[in-house]
Amino acid sequence: MAPSSTRFLILLAAASLLASFARADLQYDFYNTSCPGVETLVRDALNATFAADSTIRSGLLRFHFHDCFVRGCDASIMLQSHNGTAEKDANPNLTLRGYEVIEAIKAKVEAACPLVVSCADIMAMAARDAVYFSEGPDYQVETGRRDGNVSMMEEALSDLPPADGNVTVLTKFFAVKNLTMKDLVVLSGAHTLGVSHCPSFSHRVYNYTGVGDEDPSMEAEYGQSLNATCGGLDNVATVVPLDAVTTEKFDLGYYQSVYAGKGLLQSDDALRHDSLTGAYVGVMNNASSLDTFFADFIVSMINMGRIGARTGTDGEIRETCGIYVD
Ligand code: HEM
Ligand SMILES: *[C@@H]1O[C@H](CO)[C@@H](O)[C@H](O)[C@H]1NC(C)=O
Ligand SMILES: *[C@@H]1O[C@H](CO)[C@@H](O)[C@H](O)[C@H]1NC(C)=O
Ligand SMILES: *[C@@H]1O[C@H](CO)[C@@H](O)[C@H](O)[C@H]1NC(C)=O
Ligand SMILES: *[C@@H]1O[C@H](CO)[C@@H](O)[C@H](O)[C@H]1NC(C)=O
Ligand SMILES: *[C@@H]1O[C@H](CO)[C@@H](O)[C@H](O)[C@H]1NC(C)=O
Ligand SMILES: *[C@@H]1O[C@H](CO)[C@@H](O)[C@H](O)[C@H]1NC(C)=O
Ligand SMILES: *[C@@H]1O[C@H](CO)[C@@H](O)[C@H](O)[C@H]1NC(C)=O
Ligand SMILES: *[C@@H]1O[C@H](CO)[C@@H](O)[C@H](O)[C@H]1NC(C)=O
Ligand SMILES: *[C@@H]1O[C@H](CO)[C@@H](O)[C@H](O)[C@H]1NC(C)=O
Ligand SMILES: CC(=O)N[C@H]1CO[C@H](CO)[C@@H](O)[C@@H]1O
């Protein structure tokens, strides 16, 4: 073999080794030697936070979703923009909650292990702990993500699924993130926690097709109660539970609501009108399916947590999550 091609092969081997290092996968317990006990530290801090405000749990679960769907799970949702054009400034983000919670935990983590643990991993742990402390399943999160430092409003507007989307539309938004229809119907189950502001669904009550009509798919009494609560299309101050059965408990209440025509968002109700996702909603309407939902949810959360993950030497570990960029 000629020396030049040997050199080439060695270079090739070195390059692919380097590439596989840079691509290093997420793993369980990534910080076990670099910051031992960090997951307990985060969980204990959240336990105290939730004792003071139990409603912030749903905010943290949604926060991780909005982070992952835009530029991957890289905490770019937390970046501040001098000129107001960051992800966080996009319309769907205006109701995101939990910035201060993540920042406070990050400060505690920095005190224990400076510049080791990413904001993106803390967000993933916080979403997991929010579910756990809502009587949902406990699971191990994958860690080893690093933070991004680019944040663009347009990407949040183009990559987050629309609240008035049908299953065809929603499936496309999930597919570009490597998530399946199963992930869609399972992760929508996160709406077993938390609330929505009236403008996210009020068109269903007051102006469904633009002629002052109501969405005929909505259960009649439910529509009346939404009308009474919101009192009009543009009430930005009032919130309504996404799962009216058990708003703060992670359970099957969401699927029971959707099954009964009491899904709050159009994207929730849409799930029962597609044969595949509708079948899942039907199964989850049965109380004996709780364990199946928990197991499915863990799998789909791990899938979502892998979107666009930066690992190895890609990205950075920041001291503060919400630094200014641009
Ligand atoms: C299928 C596509 C989805 C759409 C269209 C959607 C849309 C929405 C909307 C419009 C709200 C209410 C915002 C407001 O007006 O305050 C909301 C809340 C929420 N979403 Fe989703 N969502 C989707 C998927 C997800 C996923 C995958 C998760 C997490 C795994 C999630 C977790 C939450 C939570 C926990 C809340 C309540 C937040 C709070 O209480 O502050 N959503 N979602
Ligand atoms: C965690 O520790 C075990 C040994 O205790 C080790 O085998 C494993 O590689 C470590 N994992 C990481 C991600 O460092
Ligand atoms: C959370 O805090 C309460 C006290 O407020 C304590 O009883 C409970 O054991 C804690 N749970 C966990 C998982 O740390
Ligand atoms: C879903 O919505 C899209 C966009 O509005 C529309 O083109 C499509 O026909 C709808 N699909 C179904 C099955 O309703
Ligand atoms: C209802 O929707 C139509 C079409 O989008 C719009 O022209 C009309 O102004 C809306 N009505 C109200 C009360 O906003
Ligand atoms: C909403 O409530 C108002 C006042 O009670 C009533 O006049 C209106 O018809 C209701 N609209 C719908 C869509 O139920
Ligand atoms: C619920 O599921 C259980 C176990 O699969 C089944 O035995 C039962 O008949 C189901 N109940 C309903 C109402 O479908
Ligand atoms: C989807 O998976 C492919 C193949 O593993 C990967 O190259 C791509 O980066 C993933 N996309 C996202 C958004 O994670
Ligand atoms: C963003 O991070 C990259 C490394 O991932 C670095 O080269 C670049 O200078 C950073 N940009 C800013 C504005 O911090
Ligand atoms: C705002 O910041 C973004 C990101 O750096 C940049 O692309 C855009 O041109 C800036 N807009 C203005 C008006 O300065
Ligand atoms: C432009 C705008 O309203 N941005 C908001 C995005 O969300 C954060 C957190 O709720 C708000 O502080 C910003 O004002």
Side-chain angles (χ1 to χ4, degrees), residues 21-72:
F21 176 72
R23 264 205 341 262
D25 289 331
L26 297 176
Q27 40 192 296
Y28 292 126
D29 223 358
F30 177 79
Y31 300 108
N32 65 351
T33 51
S34 58
C35 190
V38 64
E39 296 199 29
T40 308
L41 190 161
V42 170
R43 179 165 287 194
D44 288 347
L46 285 171
N47 194 10
T49 302
F50 298 153
D53 175 12
S54 62
T55 74
I56 196 67
R57 295 182 301 214
S58 54
L60 292 171
L61 179 54
R62 185 177 182 225
F63 210 12
H64 180 50
F65 159 55
H66 278 227
D67 182 36
C68 292
F69 262 64
V70 188
R71 272 195 177 255

Side-chain angles (χ1 to χ4, degrees), residues 15-287:
S16 68
L17 203 76
L18 213 75
S20 71
F21 176 72
R23 264 205 341 262
D25 289 331
L26 297 176
Q27 40 192 296
Y28 292 126
D29 223 358
F30 177 79
Y31 300 108
N32 65 351
T33 51
S34 58
C35 190
V38 64
E39 296 199 29
T40 308
L41 190 161
V42 170
R43 179 165 287 194
D44 288 347
L46 285 171
N47 194 10
T49 302
F50 298 153
D53 175 12
S54 62
T55 74
I56 196 67
R57 295 182 301 214
S58 54
L60 292 171
L61 179 54
R62 185 177 182 225
F63 210 12
H64 180 50
F65 159 55
H66 278 227
D67 182 36
C68 292
F69 262 64
V70 188
R71 272 195 177 255
C73 315
D74 68 345
S76 56
I77 185 65
M78 295 194 67
L79 295 169
Q80 318 259 346
S81 155
H82 291 290
N83 67 9
T85 56
E87 284 173 35
K88 76 192 292 284
D89 301 313
N91 193 47
N93 278 340
L94 301 184
T95 51
L96 279 185
R97 307 185 295 135
Y99 290 93
E100 329 70 43
V101 174
I102 298 294
E103 208 67 87
I105 290 175
K106 173 64 166 166
K108 285 195 161 114
V109 171
E110 281 303 298
C113 323
L115 296 177
V116 170
V117 182
S118 67
C119 298
D121 279 343
I122 293 174
M123 293 182 76
M125 292 175 208
R128 181 268 309 273
D129 292 341
V131 170
Y132 169 70
F133 282 118
S134 306
E135 299 174 56
D138 195 7
Y139 59 95
Q140 245 192 311
V141 280
E142 292 184 330
T143 43
R145 296 173 192 80
R146 290 163 65 88
D147 297 330
N149 58 12
V150 176
S151 176
M152 295 190 266
M153 174 150 78
E154 315 87 76
E155 292 186 343
L157 295 173
S158 63
D159 289 15
L160 288 167
D164 63 355
N166 59 32
V167 169
T168 312
V169 168
L170 297 171
T171 300
K172 282 186 186 143
F173 275 82
F174 274 60
V176 292
K177 305 297 171 187
N178 287 341
L179 297 178
T180 64
M181 254 173 129
K182 172 97 186 258
D183 293 317
L184 166 65
V185 68
V186 169
L187 290 172
S188 294
H191 290 170
T192 181
L193 298 179
V195 294
S196 170
H197 291 73
C198 290
S200 298
F201 60 83
S202 56
H203 66 285
R204 300 185 68 205
V205 184
Y206 303 104
N207 207 8
Y208 186 56
T209 64
V211 296
D213 52 339
E214 194 178 356
D215 182 349
S217 175
M218 229 175 357
E219 194 272 333
E221 275 181 34
Y222 186 60
Q224 283 163 22
S225 80
L226 295 178
N227 181 16
T229 307
C230 293
L233 263 174
D234 306 316
N235 178 352
V236 293
T238 301
V239 294
V240 176
L242 285 155
D243 161 12
V245 185
T246 46
T247 310
E248 290 202 16
K249 188 171 178 208
F250 193 95
D251 61 7
L252 296 173
Y254 167 78
Y255 293 108
Q256 290 162 1
S257 299
V258 170
Y259 187 81
K262 300 173 183 179
L264 184 59
L265 306 176
Q266 202 173 320
S267 63
D268 297 324
D269 186 63
L271 297 175
R272 77 187 172 114
H273 295 303
D274 171 87
S275 59
L276 232 155
T277 57
Y280 191 84
V281 170
V283 172
M284 291 301 131
N285 186 52
N286 183 332

